[in-house]
PDB file of all heavy atoms in Angstrom:
ATOM      1  N   VAL P   1      93.867  52.998  -0.476  1.00  0.00           N
ATOM      2  CA  VAL P   1      93.696  54.326   0.099  1.00  0.00           C
ATOM      3  C   VAL P   1      92.327  54.842  -0.360  1.00  0.00           C
ATOM      4  O   VAL P   1      92.016  54.836  -1.549  1.00  0.00           O
ATOM      5  CB  VAL P   1      94.783  55.285  -0.383  1.00  0.00           C
ATOM      6  CG1 VAL P   1      94.579  56.683   0.189  1.00  0.00           C
ATOM      7  CG2 VAL P   1      96.170  54.756   0.048  1.00  0.00           C
ATOM      8  N   LEU P   2      91.508  55.292   0.621  1.00  0.00           N
ATOM      9  CA  LEU P   2      90.176  55.796   0.348  1.00  0.00           C
ATOM     10  C   LEU P   2      90.080  57.264   0.752  1.00  0.00           C
ATOM     11  O   LEU P   2      90.564  57.643   1.844  1.00  0.00           O
ATOM     12  CB  LEU P   2      89.110  54.991   1.112  1.00  0.00           C
ATOM     13  CG  LEU P   2      89.024  53.502   0.861  1.00  0.00           C
ATOM     14  CD1 LEU P   2      87.905  52.881   1.696  1.00  0.00           C
ATOM     15  CD2 LEU P   2      88.807  53.198  -0.614  1.00  0.00           C
ATOM     16  N   MET P   3      89.481  58.053  -0.108  1.00  0.00           N
ATOM     17  CA  MET P   3      89.138  59.454   0.200  1.00  0.00           C
ATOM     18  C   MET P   3      87.647  59.608   0.049  1.00  0.00           C
ATOM     19  O   MET P   3      87.122  59.402  -1.063  1.00  0.00           O
ATOM     20  CB  MET P   3      89.919  60.373  -0.736  1.00  0.00           C
ATOM     21  CG  MET P   3      89.666  61.853  -0.442  1.00  0.00           C
ATOM     22  SD  MET P   3      90.272  62.306   1.219  1.00  0.00           S
ATOM     23  CE  MET P   3      89.704  63.983   1.349  1.00  0.00           C
ATOM     24  N   ASP P   4      86.969  59.939   1.139  1.00  0.00           N
ATOM     25  CA  ASP P   4      85.514  60.009   1.139  1.00  0.00           C
ATOM     26  C   ASP P   4      84.880  58.718   0.657  1.00  0.00           C
ATOM     27  O   ASP P   4      83.869  58.697  -0.063  1.00  0.00           O
ATOM     28  CB  ASP P   4      85.023  61.200   0.289  1.00  0.00           C
ATOM     29  CG  ASP P   4      85.448  62.542   0.872  1.00  0.00           C
ATOM     30  OD1 ASP P   4      85.537  62.651   2.084  1.00  0.00           O
ATOM     31  OD2 ASP P   4      85.730  63.461   0.074  1.00  0.00           O
ATOM     32  N   GLY P   5      85.509  57.595   1.027  1.00  0.00           N
ATOM     33  CA  GLY P   5      84.989  56.255   0.703  1.00  0.00           C
ATOM     34  C   GLY P   5      85.304  55.774  -0.678  1.00  0.00           C
ATOM     35  O   GLY P   5      84.889  54.657  -1.038  1.00  0.00           O
ATOM     36  N   LYS P   6      86.048  56.528  -1.480  1.00  0.00           N
ATOM     37  CA  LYS P   6      86.363  56.117  -2.849  1.00  0.00           C
ATOM     38  C   LYS P   6      87.885  55.886  -3.003  1.00  0.00           C
ATOM     39  O   LYS P   6      88.658  56.669  -2.414  1.00  0.00           O
ATOM     40  CB  LYS P   6      85.885  57.160  -3.846  1.00  0.00           C
ATOM     41  CG  LYS P   6      84.371  57.368  -3.824  1.00  0.00           C
ATOM     42  CD  LYS P   6      83.949  58.425  -4.814  1.00  0.00           C
ATOM     43  CE  LYS P   6      82.443  58.646  -4.799  1.00  0.00           C
ATOM     44  NZ  LYS P   6      82.014  59.710  -5.762  1.00  0.00           N
ATOM     45  N   PRO P   7      88.297  54.886  -3.787  1.00  0.00           N
ATOM     46  CA  PRO P   7      89.743  54.645  -3.972  1.00  0.00           C
ATOM     47  C   PRO P   7      90.420  55.883  -4.584  1.00  0.00           C
ATOM     48  O   PRO P   7      89.860  56.557  -5.455  1.00  0.00           O
ATOM     49  CB  PRO P   7      89.756  53.464  -4.947  1.00  0.00           C
ATOM     50  CG  PRO P   7      88.436  52.777  -4.786  1.00  0.00           C
ATOM     51  CD  PRO P   7      87.471  53.875  -4.482  1.00  0.00           C
ATOM     52  N   LEU P   8      91.639  56.131  -4.089  1.00  0.00           N
ATOM     53  CA  LEU P   8      92.393  57.304  -4.534  1.00  0.00           C
ATOM     54  C   LEU P   8      93.608  56.844  -5.329  1.00  0.00           C
ATOM     55  O   LEU P   8      94.484  56.178  -4.788  1.00  0.00           O
ATOM     56  CB  LEU P   8      92.830  58.119  -3.314  1.00  0.00           C
ATOM     57  CG  LEU P   8      93.519  59.464  -3.590  1.00  0.00           C
ATOM     58  CD1 LEU P   8      92.580  60.401  -4.343  1.00  0.00           C
ATOM     59  CD2 LEU P   8      93.961  60.102  -2.291  1.00  0.00           C
ATOM     60  N   ALA P   9      93.639  57.155  -6.604  1.00  0.00           N
ATOM     61  CA  ALA P   9      94.739  56.779  -7.480  1.00  0.00           C
ATOM     62  C   ALA P   9      95.897  57.755  -7.371  1.00  0.00           C
ATOM     63  O   ALA P   9      95.687  58.944  -7.069  1.00  0.00           O
ATOM     64  CB  ALA P   9      94.264  56.676  -8.922  1.00  0.00           C
ATOM     65  N   ALA P  10      97.107  57.273  -7.620  1.00  0.00           N
ATOM     66  CA  ALA P  10      98.343  58.075  -7.680  1.00  0.00           C
ATOM     67  C   ALA P  10      98.608  58.794  -6.364  1.00  0.00           C
ATOM     68  O   ALA P  10      99.273  59.871  -6.360  1.00  0.00           O
ATOM     69  CB  ALA P  10      98.278  59.064  -8.823  1.00  0.00           C
ATOM     70  N   ALA P  11      98.164  58.252  -5.240  1.00  0.00           N
ATOM     71  CA  ALA P  11      98.431  58.862  -3.942  1.00  0.00           C
ATOM     72  C   ALA P  11      99.807  58.427  -3.466  1.00  0.00           C
ATOM     73  O   ALA P  11     100.221  57.268  -3.657  1.00  0.00           O
ATOM     74  CB  ALA P  11      97.375  58.456  -2.946  1.00  0.00           C
ATOM     75  N   SER P  12     100.497  59.341  -2.816  1.00  0.00           N
ATOM     76  CA  SER P  12     101.827  59.017  -2.256  1.00  0.00           C
ATOM     77  C   SER P  12     101.646  58.238  -0.959  1.00  0.00           C
ATOM     78  O   SER P  12     100.912  58.654  -0.053  1.00  0.00           O
ATOM     79  CB  SER P  12     102.571  60.332  -1.967  1.00  0.00           C
ATOM     80  OG  SER P  12     103.796  60.059  -1.286  1.00  0.00           O
ATOM     81  N   VAL P  13     102.313  57.083  -0.863  1.00  0.00           N
ATOM     82  CA  VAL P  13     102.215  56.222   0.304  1.00  0.00           C
ATOM     83  C   VAL P  13     103.616  55.864   0.769  1.00  0.00           C
ATOM     84  O   VAL P  13     104.497  55.556  -0.047  1.00  0.00           O
ATOM     85  CB  VAL P  13     101.429  54.914   0.007  1.00  0.00           C
ATOM     86  CG1 VAL P  13     101.240  54.100   1.279  1.00  0.00           C
ATOM     87  CG2 VAL P  13     100.095  55.222  -0.625  1.00  0.00           C
ATOM     88  N   ARG P  14     103.836  55.930   2.069  1.00  0.00           N
ATOM     89  CA  ARG P  14     105.146  55.581   2.654  1.00  0.00           C
ATOM     90  C   ARG P  14     104.952  54.672   3.857  1.00  0.00           C
ATOM     91  O   ARG P  14     103.922  54.730   4.535  1.00  0.00           O
ATOM     92  CB  ARG P  14     105.879  56.851   3.094  1.00  0.00           C
ATOM     93  CG  ARG P  14     106.367  57.682   1.925  1.00  0.00           C
ATOM     94  CD  ARG P  14     107.012  58.984   2.406  1.00  0.00           C
ATOM     95  NE  ARG P  14     107.538  59.730   1.270  1.00  0.00           N
ATOM     96  CZ  ARG P  14     108.776  59.646   0.811  1.00  0.00           C
ATOM     97  NH1 ARG P  14     109.632  58.868   1.422  1.00  0.00           N
ATOM     98  NH2 ARG P  14     109.160  60.354  -0.239  1.00  0.00           N
ATOM     99  N   MET P  15     105.957  53.810   4.095  1.00  0.00           N
ATOM    100  CA  MET P  15     105.961  52.945   5.257  1.00  0.00           C
ATOM    101  C   MET P  15     107.291  53.087   5.957  1.00  0.00           C
ATOM    102  O   MET P  15     108.341  53.130   5.318  1.00  0.00           O
ATOM    103  CB  MET P  15     105.720  51.500   4.900  1.00  0.00           C
ATOM    104  CG  MET P  15     104.275  51.185   4.564  1.00  0.00           C
ATOM    105  SD  MET P  15     103.799  49.462   4.913  1.00  0.00           S
ATOM    106  CE  MET P  15     103.555  49.489   6.687  1.00  0.00           C
ATOM    107  N   ALA P  16     107.232  53.180   7.295  1.00  0.00           N
ATOM    108  CA  ALA P  16     108.444  53.320   8.066  1.00  0.00           C
ATOM    109  C   ALA P  16     108.242  52.627   9.411  1.00  0.00           C
ATOM    110  O   ALA P  16     107.121  52.448   9.889  1.00  0.00           O
ATOM    111  CB  ALA P  16     108.781  54.776   8.271  1.00  0.00           C
ATOM    112  N   ARG P  17     109.349  52.254   9.999  1.00  0.00           N
ATOM    113  CA  ARG P  17     109.352  51.517  11.265  1.00  0.00           C
ATOM    114  C   ARG P  17     109.948  52.419  12.338  1.00  0.00           C
ATOM    115  O   ARG P  17     110.861  53.237  12.085  1.00  0.00           O
ATOM    116  CB  ARG P  17     110.209  50.268  11.102  1.00  0.00           C
ATOM    117  CG  ARG P  17     110.528  49.508  12.367  1.00  0.00           C
ATOM    118  CD  ARG P  17     111.472  48.365  12.082  1.00  0.00           C
ATOM    119  NE  ARG P  17     111.992  47.771  13.288  1.00  0.00           N
ATOM    120  CZ  ARG P  17     113.069  48.201  13.939  1.00  0.00           C
ATOM    121  NH1 ARG P  17     113.781  49.212  13.449  1.00  0.00           N
ATOM    122  NH2 ARG P  17     113.478  47.592  15.024  1.00  0.00           N
ATOM    123  N   ILE P  18     109.451  52.291  13.556  1.00  0.00           N
ATOM    124  CA  ILE P  18     110.042  53.025  14.681  1.00  0.00           C
ATOM    125  C   ILE P  18     111.407  52.470  14.943  1.00  0.00           C
ATOM    126  O   ILE P  18     111.605  51.300  15.282  1.00  0.00           O
ATOM    127  CB  ILE P  18     109.173  52.926  15.944  1.00  0.00           C
ATOM    128  CG1 ILE P  18     107.824  53.540  15.712  1.00  0.00           C
ATOM    129  CG2 ILE P  18     109.868  53.591  17.119  1.00  0.00           C
ATOM    130  CD1 ILE P  18     106.944  53.585  16.914  1.00  0.00           C
ATOM    131  N   ASN P  19     112.387  53.327  14.833  1.00  0.00           N
ATOM    132  CA  ASN P  19     113.789  52.931  14.976  1.00  0.00           C
ATOM    133  C   ASN P  19     114.187  53.079  16.437  1.00  0.00           C
ATOM    134  O   ASN P  19     114.980  53.983  16.809  1.00  0.00           O
ATOM    135  CB  ASN P  19     114.660  53.806  14.045  1.00  0.00           C
ATOM    136  CG  ASN P  19     116.099  53.352  14.046  1.00  0.00           C
ATOM    137  OD1 ASN P  19     116.427  52.205  14.399  1.00  0.00           O
ATOM    138  ND2 ASN P  19     116.986  54.241  13.657  1.00  0.00           N
ATOM    139  N   THR P  20     113.683  52.208  17.290  1.00  0.00           N
ATOM    140  CA  THR P  20     113.968  52.317  18.747  1.00  0.00           C
ATOM    141  C   THR P  20     115.454  52.076  19.018  1.00  0.00           C
ATOM    142  O   THR P  20     115.986  52.573  20.011  1.00  0.00           O
ATOM    143  CB  THR P  20     113.132  51.308  19.524  1.00  0.00           C
ATOM    144  OG1 THR P  20     113.347  49.976  18.949  1.00  0.00           O
ATOM    145  CG2 THR P  20     111.661  51.637  19.436  1.00  0.00           C
ATOM    146  N   GLU P  21     116.116  51.311  18.147  1.00  0.00           N
ATOM    147  CA  GLU P  21     117.542  51.044  18.357  1.00  0.00           C
ATOM    148  C   GLU P  21     118.420  52.212  17.903  1.00  0.00           C
ATOM    149  O   GLU P  21     119.616  52.218  18.151  1.00  0.00           O
ATOM    150  CB  GLU P  21     117.952  49.801  17.598  1.00  0.00           C
ATOM    151  CG  GLU P  21     117.084  48.567  17.859  1.00  0.00           C
ATOM    152  CD  GLU P  21     115.869  48.521  16.924  1.00  0.00           C
ATOM    153  OE1 GLU P  21     115.661  49.486  16.154  1.00  0.00           O
ATOM    154  OE2 GLU P  21     115.128  47.539  16.988  1.00  0.00           O
ATOM    155  N   LYS P  22     117.775  53.181  17.192  1.00  0.00           N
ATOM    156  CA  LYS P  22     118.517  54.319  16.599  1.00  0.00           C
ATOM    157  C   LYS P  22     119.665  53.808  15.726  1.00  0.00           C
ATOM    158  O   LYS P  22     120.759  54.318  15.775  1.00  0.00           O
ATOM    159  CB  LYS P  22     119.016  55.266  17.666  1.00  0.00           C
ATOM    160  CG  LYS P  22     117.879  56.001  18.415  1.00  0.00           C
ATOM    161  CD  LYS P  22     118.393  57.114  19.271  1.00  0.00           C
ATOM    162  CE  LYS P  22     117.227  57.901  19.876  1.00  0.00           C
ATOM    163  NZ  LYS P  22     117.715  59.039  20.713  1.00  0.00           N
ATOM    164  N   ARG P  23     119.325  52.806  14.942  1.00  0.00           N
ATOM    165  CA  ARG P  23     120.302  52.186  14.050  1.00  0.00           C
ATOM    166  C   ARG P  23     120.524  53.060  12.830  1.00  0.00           C
ATOM    167  O   ARG P  23     119.575  53.590  12.254  1.00  0.00           O
ATOM    168  CB  ARG P  23     119.778  50.793  13.660  1.00  0.00           C
ATOM    169  CG  ARG P  23     120.758  49.958  12.876  1.00  0.00           C
ATOM    170  CD  ARG P  23     120.120  48.595  12.582  1.00  0.00           C
ATOM    171  NE  ARG P  23     119.736  47.895  13.817  1.00  0.00           N
ATOM    172  CZ  ARG P  23     118.746  47.044  13.896  1.00  0.00           C
ATOM    173  NH1 ARG P  23     117.982  46.784  12.838  1.00  0.00           N
ATOM    174  NH2 ARG P  23     118.468  46.452  15.048  1.00  0.00           N
ATOM    175  N   SER P  24     121.744  53.213  12.426  1.00  0.00           N
ATOM    176  CA  SER P  24     122.068  54.014  11.238  1.00  0.00           C
ATOM    177  C   SER P  24     121.809  53.181   9.980  1.00  0.00           C
ATOM    178  O   SER P  24     121.807  51.956  10.017  1.00  0.00           O
ATOM    179  CB  SER P  24     123.509  54.478  11.289  1.00  0.00           C
ATOM    180  OG  SER P  24     124.404  53.354  11.313  1.00  0.00           O
ATOM    181  N   VAL P  25     121.601  53.899   8.877  1.00  0.00           N
ATOM    182  CA  VAL P  25     121.332  53.250   7.581  1.00  0.00           C
ATOM    183  C   VAL P  25     122.289  53.816   6.541  1.00  0.00           C
ATOM    184  O   VAL P  25     122.858  54.887   6.732  1.00  0.00           O
ATOM    185  CB  VAL P  25     119.868  53.458   7.133  1.00  0.00           C
ATOM    186  CG1 VAL P  25     118.922  52.713   8.062  1.00  0.00           C
ATOM    187  CG2 VAL P  25     119.529  54.955   7.129  1.00  0.00           C
ATOM    188  N   PRO P  26     122.515  53.094   5.451  1.00  0.00           N
ATOM    189  CA  PRO P  26     123.495  53.548   4.448  1.00  0.00           C
ATOM    190  C   PRO P  26     123.190  54.924   3.880  1.00  0.00           C
ATOM    191  O   PRO P  26     124.083  55.747   3.685  1.00  0.00           O
ATOM    192  CB  PRO P  26     123.429  52.466   3.375  1.00  0.00           C
ATOM    193  CG  PRO P  26     122.914  51.235   4.065  1.00  0.00           C
ATOM    194  CD  PRO P  26     122.001  51.741   5.114  1.00  0.00           C
ATOM    195  N   THR P  27     121.913  55.165   3.549  1.00  0.00           N
ATOM    196  CA  THR P  27     121.518  56.443   2.961  1.00  0.00           C
ATOM    197  C   THR P  27     120.156  56.841   3.514  1.00  0.00           C
ATOM    198  O   THR P  27     119.439  56.037   4.176  1.00  0.00           O
ATOM    199  CB  THR P  27     121.420  56.367   1.434  1.00  0.00           C
ATOM    200  OG1 THR P  27     120.315  55.543   1.064  1.00  0.00           O
ATOM    201  CG2 THR P  27     122.699  55.829   0.837  1.00  0.00           C
ATOM    202  N   SER P  28     119.744  58.060   3.254  1.00  0.00           N
ATOM    203  CA  SER P  28     118.436  58.531   3.722  1.00  0.00           C
ATOM    204  C   SER P  28     117.304  57.785   3.017  1.00  0.00           C
ATOM    205  O   SER P  28     116.176  57.722   3.526  1.00  0.00           O
ATOM    206  CB  SER P  28     118.297  60.014   3.478  1.00  0.00           C
ATOM    207  OG  SER P  28     118.442  60.329   2.106  1.00  0.00           O
ATOM    208  N   TRP P  29     117.591  57.214   1.824  1.00  0.00           N
ATOM    209  CA  TRP P  29     116.578  56.441   1.114  1.00  0.00           C
ATOM    210  C   TRP P  29     116.182  55.154   1.858  1.00  0.00           C
ATOM    211  O   TRP P  29     115.133  54.594   1.617  1.00  0.00           O
ATOM    212  CB  TRP P  29     117.055  56.076  -0.285  1.00  0.00           C
ATOM    213  CG  TRP P  29     117.556  57.230  -1.062  1.00  0.00           C
ATOM    214  CD1 TRP P  29     118.846  57.521  -1.372  1.00  0.00           C
ATOM    215  CD2 TRP P  29     116.776  58.320  -1.602  1.00  0.00           C
ATOM    216  NE1 TRP P  29     118.950  58.680  -2.083  1.00  0.00           N
ATOM    217  CE2 TRP P  29     117.683  59.201  -2.272  1.00  0.00           C
ATOM    218  CE3 TRP P  29     115.416  58.615  -1.652  1.00  0.00           C
ATOM    219  CZ2 TRP P  29     117.258  60.351  -2.915  1.00  0.00           C
ATOM    220  CZ3 TRP P  29     115.014  59.755  -2.288  1.00  0.00           C
ATOM    221  CH2 TRP P  29     115.914  60.614  -2.910  1.00  0.00           C
ATOM    222  N   HIS P  30     117.055  54.698   2.754  1.00  0.00           N
ATOM    223  CA  HIS P  30     116.787  53.477   3.505  1.00  0.00           C
ATOM    224  C   HIS P  30     115.937  53.718   4.750  1.00  0.00           C
ATOM    225  O   HIS P  30     115.615  52.776   5.489  1.00  0.00           O
ATOM    226  CB  HIS P  30     118.116  52.814   3.938  1.00  0.00           C
ATOM    227  CG  HIS P  30     118.925  52.298   2.805  1.00  0.00           C
ATOM    228  ND1 HIS P  30     119.671  53.110   1.989  1.00  0.00           N
ATOM    229  CD2 HIS P  30     119.121  51.028   2.340  1.00  0.00           C
ATOM    230  CE1 HIS P  30     120.290  52.398   1.085  1.00  0.00           C
ATOM    231  NE2 HIS P  30     119.991  51.133   1.280  1.00  0.00           N
ATOM    232  N   GLU P  31     115.556  54.956   4.998  1.00  0.00           N
ATOM    233  CA  GLU P  31     114.821  55.258   6.199  1.00  0.00           C
ATOM    234  C   GLU P  31     113.343  54.925   6.112  1.00  0.00           C
ATOM    235  O   GLU P  31     112.665  54.829   7.106  1.00  0.00           O
ATOM    236  CB  GLU P  31     115.010  56.731   6.552  1.00  0.00           C
ATOM    237  CG  GLU P  31     116.479  57.076   6.890  1.00  0.00           C
ATOM    238  CD  GLU P  31     116.664  58.559   7.105  1.00  0.00           C
ATOM    239  OE1 GLU P  31     115.686  59.327   6.957  1.00  0.00           O
ATOM    240  OE2 GLU P  31     117.799  58.979   7.430  1.00  0.00           O
ATOM    241  N   ASP P  32     112.826  54.806   4.894  1.00  0.00           N
ATOM    242  CA  ASP P  32     111.440  54.416   4.731  1.00  0.00           C
ATOM    243  C   ASP P  32     111.239  53.768   3.368  1.00  0.00           C
ATOM    244  O   ASP P  32     112.215  53.606   2.610  1.00  0.00           O
ATOM    245  CB  ASP P  32     110.502  55.638   4.894  1.00  0.00           C
ATOM    246  CG  ASP P  32     110.698  56.668   3.790  1.00  0.00           C
ATOM    247  OD1 ASP P  32     111.673  56.526   2.998  1.00  0.00           O
ATOM    248  OD2 ASP P  32     109.919  57.626   3.700  1.00  0.00           O
ATOM    249  N   ILE P  33     110.026  53.370   3.051  1.00  0.00           N
ATOM    250  CA  ILE P  33     109.682  52.760   1.776  1.00  0.00           C
ATOM    251  C   ILE P  33     108.605  53.621   1.147  1.00  0.00           C
ATOM    252  O   ILE P  33     107.634  54.008   1.818  1.00  0.00           O
ATOM    253  CB  ILE P  33     109.174  51.317   1.932  1.00  0.00           C
ATOM    254  CG1 ILE P  33     110.072  50.537   2.895  1.00  0.00           C
ATOM    255  CG2 ILE P  33     109.106  50.614   0.599  1.00  0.00           C
ATOM    256  CD1 ILE P  33     109.507  49.169   3.246  1.00  0.00           C
ATOM    257  N   ALA P  34     108.755  53.935  -0.120  1.00  0.00           N
ATOM    258  CA  ALA P  34     107.816  54.850  -0.790  1.00  0.00           C
ATOM    259  C   ALA P  34     107.198  54.183  -2.026  1.00  0.00           C
ATOM    260  O   ALA P  34     107.844  53.357  -2.688  1.00  0.00           O
ATOM    261  CB  ALA P  34     108.525  56.142  -1.197  1.00  0.00           C
TER     262      ALA P  34
END
């Protein structure tokens, strides 16, 4: 992660997938990766 061209430490990053199937998950924690 870069801010003004410099690495940014301790930044919050998440990854998630488009749930086109509208598939349910066990808990809300399963909806993305943090």
Side-chain angles (χ1 to χ4, degrees):
V1 179
L2 301 181
M3 182 64 185
D4 295 327
K6 299 180 180 179
L8 186 61
S12 174
V13 186
R14 291 175 176 268
M15 284 208 79
R17 170 185 170 272
I18 296 183
N19 186 21
T20 54
E21 309 87 355
K22 293 190 174 182
R23 187 179 302 151
S24 61
V25 292
T27 69
S28 59
W29 308 108
H30 293 77
E31 295 175 358
D32 66 351
I33 315 172

